[in-house]
Amino acid sequence: MIARRLEDGPCRTYLLASSKSKEAVLVDPVLQKADDYLALLKAEGLELRLLVDTHQHADHLSACATLRDRTDAPYLMHARTAVSCATRRVDDGETVGVGDIRLEFLHTPGHTMDSLTIVVGDRLLSGDFLFIGSFGAGRLDLPGSDPAVPYDSLKKL
């Protein structure tokens, strides 16, 4: 499996791809980099099969709708999202296969009520629910956040 972080800034985008089938997933892509992602996929010989936003983003514009329109890849979010342009919605515990990659989606509300954590093998892609290292977790003071529920989400992980 190919697993690569594409952004080093506060908004993290991940590329997951099957080494065998060359089918790819983009997680939390940012709009201003949409052309860069398409160029990377082409250079690597990968076919985009799924777009995922781990939650509704307040700090950047998602590229998922744009990339969906340009590639016909489904755009996936949690069932509770208010984002109307997502083409597929998942509930807690659902799995989706892309090539030989299995993605399990866990509903981890707190930062937003539509937050998803993606389990891929031994990796967790948690969006803004949890940050890497000592950076903590996503803010709980934004509209739609609920400081009463992150503990239950953390227990799930």
Side-chain angles (χ1 to χ4, degrees):
M1 177 177 74
I2 299 164
R4 194 178 314 159
R5 186 174 73 197
L6 301 180
E7 309 296 337
D8 287 326
C11 301
R12 303 265 169 102
T13 300
Y14 294 91
L15 168 69
L16 304 171
S18 168
S19 301
K20 295 176 185 176
S21 70
K22 301 295 186 184
E23 295 172 282
V25 178
L26 281 174
V27 178
D28 291 336
V30 294
L31 184 58
Q32 65 267 31
K33 301 273 187 149
D35 290 331
D36 296 341
Y37 302 137
L38 293 173
L40 174 65
L41 292 165
K42 184 176 181 180
E44 300 274 335
L46 301 172
E47 186 171 350
L48 188 59
R49 292 290 192 192
L50 185 65
L51 296 150
V52 179
D53 270 330
T54 56
H55 64 290
Q56 185 173 355
H57 301 284
D59 56 349
H60 72 272
L61 295 175
S62 170
C64 284
T66 296
L67 292 168
R68 177 206 60 210
D69 292 345
R70 292 174 67 182
T71 66
D72 290 326
Y75 172 15
L76 183 146
M77 290 189 76
H78 186 266
R80 289 190 64 185
T81 191
V83 175
S84 62
C85 59
T87 56
R88 181 164 182 188
R89 297 171 192 274
V90 294
D91 282 312
D92 186 55
E94 283 191 48
T95 61
V96 173
V98 176
D100 58 349
I101 300 171
R102 182 175 168 262
L103 296 94
E104 180 183 2
F105 295 94
L106 302 178
H107 186 214
T108 50
H111 174 61
T112 64
M113 293 313 289
D114 65 348
S115 290
L116 285 172
T117 293
I118 307 167
V119 180
V120 185
D122 63 351
R123 293 175 169 90
L124 290 177
L125 302 179
S126 61
D128 287 357
F129 176 67
L130 290 176
F131 294 122
I132 296 170
S134 60
F135 296 104
R139 292 175 53 185
L140 299 173
D141 61 341
L142 300 171
S145 299
D146 186 345
V149 298
Y151 181 74
D152 290 333
S153 294
L154 188 58
K155 285 191 325 186
K156 185 182 296 186
L157 300 182

